[in-house]
């Protein structure tokens, strides 16, 4: 009965007229009449007969504007099936992403580590990078035959350093050069080494983000194995700092 569509995507909106059912646009901006949106930190509905607030954006524990959009879209589906806003609010607050999907791993000396090994293409990596204000980006692996230029150009302003691994390192480095990224850019032989190098490039408040933009099969069986290697390396780094709380900082050393 409803066609719930992303109002911010011009390709999608071009097909709305041919879609069956009542069109229901969703956005992370102000809700259009008959649609869903986000206003003053509250997801709300302007669908006739179902107007009102649904849940507070602060309750969603997933980073990134794209995850807010996902939750708003899911709320539209729930509404079409008769869900009550109170139930949506409980579901939003309780929801946790699956493993290796923008998963917080830990914090060492004020530097956060996030595992998004599932970001195996440039589009997914771009969404991950956009979720944080200052990022040391760990990227690379086996390219799926895709272009990195748009990804890099869109993220230059929030990257404070890049650590490259795997087969696609040279392609990524070339894209960084074309985008005018001033660096630093460092090559690492493994994901474990990349964690140590990334920590050395980061400052307190930064995020070291594994969002490879590539497949993992050059070094791993799959993205889950790659993500597990990242998490294990972060745990080793954290353990070193627990055992040496007063000094021995790894920054600047690999």
């Amino acid at each position: 009965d409803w066609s719930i569509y992303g109002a911010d995507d011009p390709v999608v909106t071009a097909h709305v007229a041919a879609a069956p059912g009542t069109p229901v646009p969703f956005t992370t901006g102000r809700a259009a009449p008959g649609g869903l949106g986000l206003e003053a930190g509250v997801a709300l509905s302007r669908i006739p007969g179902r107007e009102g607030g649904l849940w507070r954006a602060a309750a969603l524990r997933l980073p990134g504007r794209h995850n807010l959009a996902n939750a708003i879209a899911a709320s539209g589906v729930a509404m079409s099936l008769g869900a009550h806003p109170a139930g949506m609010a409980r579901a939003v607050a309780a929801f946790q992403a699956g493993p290796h999907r923008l998963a917080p791993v830990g914090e060492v000396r004020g530097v956060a580590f996030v595992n998004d090994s599932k970001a195996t293409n440039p589009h997914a990596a771009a969404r991950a990078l956009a979720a944080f204000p200052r990022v040391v980006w760990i990227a690379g692996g086996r390219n799926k035959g895709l272009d990195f230029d748009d990804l890099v150009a869109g993220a230059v302003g929030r990257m404070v350093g890049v650590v490259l691994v795997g087969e696609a390192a040279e392609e990524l480095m070339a894209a960084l050069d074309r985008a005018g990224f001033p660096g630093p850019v460092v090559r690492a032989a493994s994901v474990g080494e990349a964690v140590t190098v990334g920590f050395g490039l980061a400052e307190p408040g930064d995020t070291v983000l594994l969002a490879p933009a590539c497949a993992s099969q050059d070094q791993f069986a799959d993205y889950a194995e790659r993500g597990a290697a990242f998490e294990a390396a972060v745990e080793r780094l954290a353990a070193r700092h627990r055992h040496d709380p007063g000094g021995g900082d790894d920054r600047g050393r690999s």
Side-chain angles (χ1 to χ4, degrees), residues 24-244:
V24 177
F26 71 88
T27 176
T28 55
R30 184 174 178 82
L36 303 159
L38 187 69
E39 298 178 30
V42 176
L44 56 81
S45 166
R46 295 191 183 279
I47 299 170
R50 300 170 187 254
E51 297 91 344
L54 305 177
W55 41 266
R56 293 194 173 276
L60 183 66
R61 292 181 290 174
L62 305 179
R65 202 79 176 172
H66 65 295
N67 278 320
L68 277 171
N70 289 341
I72 292 168
S75 296
V77 174
M79 288 180 68
S80 75
L81 298 173
H84 190 275
M88 296 182 210
R90 288 192 296 270
V92 165
F95 186 81
Q96 296 182 11
H100 315 295
R101 293 165 169 82
L102 280 181
V105 177
E107 186 175 296
V108 181
R109 301 258 174 117
V111 176
F113 291 83
V114 174
N115 169 16
D116 199 32
S117 184
K118 186 66 173 67
T120 61
N121 62 69
H123 182 77
R127 294 292 192 181
L129 286 161
F132 305 98
R134 282 177 52 93
V135 179
V136 175
W137 182 33
I138 299 177
R142 177 164 292 167
N143 190 5
K144 297 179 174 181
L146 302 173
D147 182 82
F148 297 120
D149 284 342
D150 288 346
L151 160 64
V152 171
V156 163
R158 63 186 65 240
M159 295 189 301
V160 297
V162 178
V163 187
L164 301 176
V165 296
E167 291 178 0
E170 291 296 335
E171 292 177 80
L172 283 159
M173 190 171 293
L176 289 160
D177 286 341
R178 288 191 292 272
F181 179 63
V185 180
V186 184
R187 291 284 299 270
S190 67
V191 167
E193 182 183 351
V195 166
T196 302
V197 173
F199 179 65
L201 298 177
E203 298 292 337
D206 292 349
T207 298
V208 177
L209 171 68
L210 173 66
C214 295
S216 58
Q217 282 81 7
D218 59 332
Q219 294 180 314
F220 300 95
D222 53 29
Y223 74 86
E225 185 178 83
R226 176 173 58 192
F230 175 80
E231 293 180 355
V234 173
E235 176 54 35
R236 291 193 297 270
L237 179 69
R240 290 201 296 273
H241 286 274
R242 285 195 297 269
H243 297 149
D244 185 17

